[in-house]
Amino acid sequence: MMAPPLPASFAAARASLRPVIRGRGTLEYLRLMPGTLSDTSVKPLIDAYAPFSSDSVIMLACDSAHSIQTLTGDTLIEWGVSFDEALTVAIDNLRDMTVSNFEQVAPGIFLGGWNDAYESSRLLFADLFYRMELGGEPVVMAPSRHKLLVASANQPAALLGMLALARMMAEEEGRQVSALMYCFENGKPVEYLPADAQVAQQAAELKKLFLLEDYQSQKQMLDKLNDKASLDLFVASYTLVQSEATGRIHSYGVWTDQVDTLLPEVDKVALVRYHEESGEPDMRVVDWTELRAHVKELHHSVPGYPARYRLQSFPSRELLDRLIVTDLGS
């Protein structure tokens, strides 16, 4: 079914505007759509947004009985209104339709129950969570568009349970928004950095799981664009491996000699060079921080999200011999 036409003016649209929080992967999808990179006329398609966190953005939507349509920069230009002005109206509209509506789904863990597709957008309302009187600073997660989770910073067990729920909800629902845990500073949502070591580890691993989906989607689109342009550029995969010794999850990517590569930002890099005589591969695994200290190209990522680095010149044999080697499972 085709979406209904948008209102013809800002005045007509005003009451239907809503703020929506989306994962940054949404912008990458729009950026890499066929024709976007080569056609400047479609740039306004991705102009109607503002940064929200390291892995998400805030955008605008027009709500109707049958659809929620994300707005583009073209629409705002036609209406003669700035993004900030429209966002203020959208936030006010959402606040007017927001009353506290949480249910406890596990000990110390609460789930928003509005069921109106704007659950994640309510991250904008710090007072909503403080009124819950959780016995500590509220920590909030919006793993997918329709899920909003809350727990107290004073309850590590609840925080661990919330992280597990966030992972499950994102996997079941798709349309992931943010892997971050949020707290509030001066009424604004900011990333929460857990003091508890186990919570911090699980939070870091959830970020990697979200990045895995974003990197996979980005690779698929980049591969298609490169094939169409007959560009011989290897888009390396972002791969996760779990340590048998510690159970922790690490990310790694592969960089091969004489292969023009777009490398994702990973924990470890497998460097592969083939012996000239035998043709056998020689692989050395190094930590990202170790490799970055010696390869200047890893200081400047190419445009896009998540970050990738263009690598055209493989490390010399001398440098390879100096690098501190590790293994993928450590």
Side-chain angles (χ1 to χ4, degrees):
M1 184 176 65
M2 291 185 62
L6 290 168
S9 67
F10 178 58
R14 190 180 185 97
S16 63
L17 293 180
R18 305 286 186 270
V20 289
I21 298 173
R22 297 288 185 258
R24 286 185 65 184
T26 300
L27 290 187
E28 184 71 346
Y29 173 80
L30 295 173
R31 187 181 75 89
L32 296 177
M33 284 177 61
T36 304
L37 293 177
S38 59
D39 186 353
T40 56
S41 67
V42 298
K43 187 176 183 294
L45 184 70
I46 56 174
D47 275 351
Y49 76 94
F52 183 75
S53 68
S54 61
D55 69 355
S56 62
V57 296
I58 187 165
M59 304 179 78
L60 290 163
C62 193
D63 185 273
S64 69
H66 303 291
S67 70
I68 297 174
Q69 297 182 69
T70 304
L71 301 185
T72 68
D74 281 330
T75 300
L76 298 181
I77 292 171
E78 291 173 7
W79 288 349
V81 63
S82 70
F83 174 82
D84 288 343
E85 182 180 355
L87 179 61
T88 298
V89 170
I91 291 174
D92 287 344
N93 288 342
L94 183 61
R95 181 174 285 281
D96 288 343
M97 56 187 277
T98 297
V99 295
S100 183
N101 190 352
F102 293 97
E103 64 171 314
Q104 185 165 305
V105 293
I109 306 171
F110 298 83
L111 175 68
W114 295 275
N115 297 318
D116 60 3
Y118 297 104
E119 282 77 15
S120 60
S121 301
R122 290 177 170 92
L123 254 174
L124 296 165
F125 305 141
D127 58 298
L128 185 67
F129 308 104
Y130 281 101
R131 288 200 300 268
M132 296 176 69
E133 298 182 352
L134 297 170
E137 288 292 311
V139 179
V140 187
M141 296 191 72
S144 60
R145 296 184 186 181
H146 306 302
K147 294 295 186 289
L148 189 68
L149 294 164
V150 192
S152 168
N154 290 343
Q155 298 183 33
L159 295 179
L160 285 171
M162 182 167 67
L163 285 163
L165 273 176
R167 176 176 176 177
M168 180 186 71
M169 289 171 173
E171 290 174 346
E172 290 180 350
E173 185 177 310
R175 296 186 174 187
Q176 65 184 37
V177 173
S178 177
L180 305 189
M181 308 177 86
Y182 294 87
C183 60
F184 299 92
E185 292 183 0
N186 301 318
K188 303 294 184 182
V190 297
E191 182 176 359
Y192 171 72
L193 302 176
D196 181 89
Q198 189 176 2
V199 176
Q201 177 191 331
Q202 293 301 313
E205 293 189 355
L206 184 63
K207 291 180 186 178
K208 293 173 185 177
L209 291 166
F210 272 53
L211 279 172
L212 176 62
E213 182 170 325
D214 285 334
Y215 269 122
Q216 287 175 335
S217 175
Q218 181 193 54
K219 173 177 168 58
Q220 290 171 3
M221 297 191 76
L222 285 171
D223 281 340
K224 290 179 181 179
L225 288 171
N226 292 339
D227 287 344
K228 186 176 181 180
S230 299
L231 181 61
D232 188 14
L233 177 59
F234 176 64
V235 182
S237 295
Y238 179 91
T239 305
L240 297 181
V241 61
Q242 188 169 28
S243 168
E244 293 183 0
T246 66
R248 295 187 177 184
I249 294 174
H250 302 285
S251 61
Y252 77 90
V254 177
W255 181 14
T256 303
D257 187 20
Q258 299 183 32
V259 177
D260 192 357
T261 300
L262 276 178
L263 186 70
E265 189 164 328
V266 288
D267 296 321
K268 301 171 185 291
V269 180
L271 298 160
V272 180
R273 182 193 290 273
Y274 288 88
H275 290 287
E276 294 179 3
E277 296 180 0
S278 67
E280 293 295 318
D282 173 27
M283 185 177 80
R284 307 182 188 198
V285 178
V286 298
D287 288 332
W288 177 269
T289 52
E290 166 72 3
L291 188 62
R292 189 175 185 270
H294 298 277
V295 178
K296 65 179 185 301
E297 288 83 1
L298 294 180
H299 291 259
H300 305 285
S301 61
V302 301
Y305 175 86
R308 285 186 182 272
Y309 301 81
R310 182 78 177 266
L311 302 173
Q312 298 173 284
S313 179
F314 198 73
S316 66
R317 293 185 183 277
E318 291 75 20
L319 175 56
L320 286 175
D321 290 339
R322 295 203 310 269
L323 293 173
I324 300 173
V325 177
T326 182
D327 63 80
L328 291 178
S330 63

